[in-house]
Amino acid sequence: MPHDVIATCPVCSQELAVTRLHCRSCGTSLEGDFSVGRFGRLNREQTALLESFLRSRGNLREMERELGISYPTVRGRVEALVRALGFGPRADADEDDAPTQAVATPTRDAILERLARHEISAEEAATAIRALGRIDR
């Protein structure tokens, strides 16, 4: 039975790279330096929360009942999950009834800082930096 891949080194806590992929059906193998992707970097608790979120179709009250935790705790964990996935905080996170505001475009330095903290992959950083070039034009 296959095991879930881990994304963090148990020795130094840095991101692990997948270096070999293998197809059980045809035997094809690929070797290289692959990222586990943003969902692969979630720990088990975060993955369980995401699964609950999807099962409940985003209904936090239903998640509250399913997980047996308070609404503010569910909301806090979902916000932490959003940040862990690299989406950043909502512009209206502190004001429930405020209209949603546009999120500021990140700077090149902010993107590089997120890359250095291993919050995003090099590919995601490159895409974000290329998008900045399109915005400036």
Side-chain angles (χ1 to χ4, degrees):
M1 177 170 118
H3 299 282
D4 291 339
V5 67
I6 61 171
T8 305
C9 176
V11 176
C12 70
S13 299
Q14 295 296 313
E15 183 177 350
L16 292 172
V18 177
T19 59
R20 185 167 188 263
L21 300 171
H22 178 77
C23 176
R24 288 191 192 105
S25 176
C26 70
T28 298
S29 290
L30 299 171
E31 291 193 21
D33 189 6
F34 308 100
S35 170
V36 294
R38 79 175 49 183
F39 296 108
R41 289 189 290 267
L42 298 177
N43 64 35
R44 287 177 193 238
E45 182 179 296
Q46 291 167 324
T47 301
L49 184 71
L50 179 59
E51 289 171 352
S52 175
F53 183 85
L54 294 173
R55 267 193 305 278
S56 69
R57 308 300 193 270
N59 184 317
L60 301 188
R61 290 284 178 204
E62 193 172 317
M63 290 177 67
E64 175 186 16
R65 286 188 291 279
E66 177 184 332
L67 300 172
I69 56 179
S70 71
Y71 183 86
T73 301
V74 171
R75 185 174 168 162
R77 289 184 185 177
V78 169
E79 287 297 327
L81 177 62
V82 167
R83 286 190 302 279
L85 289 169
F87 298 120
R90 284 189 353 218
D92 64 343
D94 294 332
E95 301 176 26
D96 290 344
D97 297 325
T100 303
Q101 301 169 5
V103 176
T105 302
T107 64
R108 181 178 182 278
D109 288 341
I111 294 166
L112 293 175
E113 285 174 17
R114 290 186 61 215
L115 176 62
R117 291 191 306 262
H118 302 285
E119 293 176 0
I120 59 174
S121 69
E123 182 179 329
E124 290 167 323
T127 300
I129 289 172
R130 278 194 295 275
L132 287 177
R134 282 185 228 122
I135 292 169
D136 292 340
R137 290 183 187 157

